[in-house]
Amino acid sequence: MTMQRPAVTYQDHWKTEGYDHISVTPLNPVVGAVVEGFDLSKPFVDEQVAEVKRAFLAHHVLAFHDQNISEDQHKAFGRLFGELHVHPLKHDASNDRGSDPAILDIRTTANSKYTAGGAWHADVTCDERPPSISMLLIRQIPEVGCGGDTCFANMYRAFDTLSESMQEFLRGLTAVHDGAIPYVGAYNTTPPPGGYPRHEHPVIVRHPETGRELLYVNPGFTSHIKGLTKFESESLLAMLYHHVEKRLDIQCRVSYRPNTLVMWDNRCLQHQAAWDYFPYSRSGARVSVIGHRPTRDV
Ligand code: SIN
C-alpha cells in the first residue's frame, strides 16, 4: 500500500534556529518535542517563556519532565497563555474529585470504568470557545513503571495530506460538536439542567496564530456534518477519522515520568490516552486555557 506524500514539508513551520534559554529536542519532525532547562517551580524569565511559546507553535506538543510543582504553579503556568478554562464536567462535584474549578482531576485505577480521553479527540470542542491549550501534569505513572502514554495527531498535516478536491469540498462544511457524546454516552454522567454544551464549528478552520488551515472534526465530540444525509455524514466522518488514525507520519507518542507536564495545542491536534496499564493506576491534573471561537478567518 502506498501513502500519498504531504503537499507541504515540515520545514514550513518547523523553526530550526537555536534556542538560547531552553533546550528543545523534537520527538519527530512533525509533532512533539521535549523541553529541558525550564523549571516551572522557579520564577519565569521572559526570554524563556518567549522561547517556550515559539517551540510550542513549531512542535504543537511539549513535554517538560521532572516538574514537582504545586496546583498554584500549574495554574500560573496556564495563565501565561490566557484565562483558565472550567471543564463542563465541573458542574457536578461527583464527576471530579478536585474542588478547584480550573483543575481537572485525571485518574485511572483498576476500578475505573473508562480512562478520560481514551479515544481520539480534541478537548471540549463542544464549547463555543474550546480550550486553546491543555496542560496535563502526570504525578503518578503506572506502578509497573511504564505505559500510559498520550498519543497526538497533527491536524494541519491531516488536512495537508488530503487531496485538493477533498480539501475544497470540506472547506464549505460545518459540523456539530456535542458534549453529550463523551460525557453521557461514554462517561455516563448526569448533564446539567440545560444539557452539556453543543456548538457548530467549520470542518476546516484556520489556526488563530499561524493562519494555517487544519481539519477540525473529531470522533470524541462531532455528532454530524450539517447539510449532508445521515449516511453521507457518517461515511465522510468515518473516512476522515480513518485518515487520521492510520497516518503514523502525522502522529507521536509522549511518555511520562513522575511529574511530567505535557502541554498541547488543542487548536491543531487530536490526542488519545493509551490505557495499556490496567490494573495499575495513573493520576494527575489538567489545566486548560480558553481559546477563540474556531473560524475560517484569520
Ligand atoms: C485528556 O484527554 O486530557 C487525557 C489525556 C491523558 O490522560 O493522557
Side-chain angles (χ1 to χ4, degrees), residues 153-194:
N154 178 328
M155 292 301 108
Y156 294 125
R157 298 300 289 264
F159 176 74
D160 293 342
T161 50
L162 293 167
S163 68
E164 286 184 15
S165 303
M166 180 55 67
Q167 290 175 347
E168 194 51 33
F169 174 59
L170 295 175
R171 281 189 185 104
L173 300 177
T174 299
V176 177
H177 296 241
D178 189 347
I181 296 175
Y183 307 140
V184 180
Y187 299 175
N188 201 25
T189 65
T190 304

Side-chain angles (χ1 to χ4, degrees), residues 87 104 106-108 115-119 121-123 134-136 138 148-152 187 254 256 262 264 266 271-274 277 282 286 288:
H87 197 282
L104 185 71
I106 298 284
R107 185 182 307 272
T108 305
T115 195
H121 68 289
D123 290 330
S134 285
M135 299 168 172
L136 175 62
I138 290 295
D149 293 355
T150 311
C151 308
F152 292 91
Y187 299 175
V254 176
Y256 295 84
V262 174
W264 60 86
N266 196 53
H271 61 282
Q272 175 171 186
Y277 49 89
R282 170 182 181 269
R286 197 179 86 195
S288 295

Side-chain angles (χ1 to χ4, degrees), residues 10-32:
Y10 68 83
Q11 283 92 347
D12 292 348
H13 276 268
W14 200 55
K15 311 285 192 300
T16 51
E17 61 263 37
Y19 294 87
D20 296 325
H21 301 276
I22 56 173
S23 118
V24 179
T25 306
L27 296 177
N28 67 45
V30 172
V31 57

